[in-house]
Amino acid sequence: MTSVPAITIRRARTSDVPGIRALVAPLAEDRILVAKEAVAYYEALQEFRVAEDADGRIVGCGALHVMWEDLAEVRTLAADPALRGSGIGHRLLEQLLADAVEIGVTRVFCLTFEVDFFRRHGFDVMANQSAVDPEVYSELLRSSDEGVAEFLDLARVKPNTLGNTRMIRSF
């Protein structure tokens, strides 16, 4: 792992949205992440953490989206491709997991192509929907959030999730 000096992990600000979108754009083109309109990033801004280099450039991002009392999803975890392997993704994910614990979440879900990365952080591949009991499942079905639909593995989101692995970590 290459070391990257002077990276700061902090809460995202409105001025970070263009940098977040720039990080996500190539990954969305490759269908690794889901493309979103700018308004979606502003609406979810309080969920985001960013990695900022010494020059103030956004070199990584990630979000924690609460889905239920004890369940959240790691979303939009991305790092500058030129800095891949430098620990930015690790630091962002560790911060998001710490945020989850701080707010009372006991399980964190992700939908990813990076299975080994998430395994190294304590995530396991989800075998089935037993992650939520039937009553909670029924409640989650009422959500209009696409991430919740992905977690529930609903047919309407299958084209966007083909090839991804659903993983979960419990605390």
Side-chain angles (χ1 to χ4, degrees):
M1 183 182 327
T2 312
S3 179
V4 177
I7 297 294
T8 303
I9 307 295
R10 62 168 174 77
R11 292 213 174 272
R13 298 188 279 258
T14 55
S15 58
D16 297 327
V17 170
I20 292 169
R21 291 187 76 207
L23 281 173
V24 171
L27 296 169
E29 285 176 23
D30 291 339
R31 297 181 53 84
I32 294 169
L33 293 178
V34 176
K36 297 177 188 169
E37 297 296 330
V39 67
Y41 290 107
Y42 288 110
E43 288 174 343
L45 192 67
Q46 68 280 4
E47 299 176 354
F48 273 85
R49 294 283 187 161
V50 295
E52 181 180 61
D53 70 10
D55 296 325
R57 190 174 65 96
I58 302 302
V59 294
C61 64
L64 182 73
H65 179 76
V66 175
M67 296 168 59
W68 198 252
E69 176 183 5
D70 65 337
L71 182 66
E73 178 186 9
V74 169
R75 294 183 172 178
T76 322
L77 186 62
D80 183 323
L83 300 174
R84 189 175 173 114
S86 66
I88 292 170
H90 165 79
R91 289 185 56 196
L92 280 163
L93 181 57
E94 288 299 314
Q95 181 62 61
L96 295 172
L97 294 174
D99 292 346
V101 169
E102 182 181 338
I103 62 175
V105 169
T106 58
R107 297 178 301 159
V108 177
F109 155 79
C110 69
L111 187 64
T112 185
F113 290 105
E114 300 293 339
V115 173
D116 291 338
F117 172 82
F118 280 94
R119 268 204 180 108
R120 287 192 304 271
H121 291 88
F123 285 75
D124 295 310
V125 174
M126 289 177 61
N128 58 41
Q129 286 304 303
S130 64
V132 295
D133 66 44
E135 184 178 314
V136 172
Y137 186 90
S138 295
E139 291 287 334
L140 289 173
L141 281 173
R142 297 180 184 149
S143 175
S144 61
D145 185 273
E146 288 299 301
V148 172
E150 291 168 354
F151 172 75
L152 298 176
D153 202 24
L154 301 180
R156 69 181 170 84
V157 296
K158 293 269 189 211
N160 292 333
T161 61
L162 290 177
N164 285 343
T165 301
R166 297 166 53 204
M167 300 182 78
I168 196 161
R169 175 178 167 173
S170 299
F171 302 101

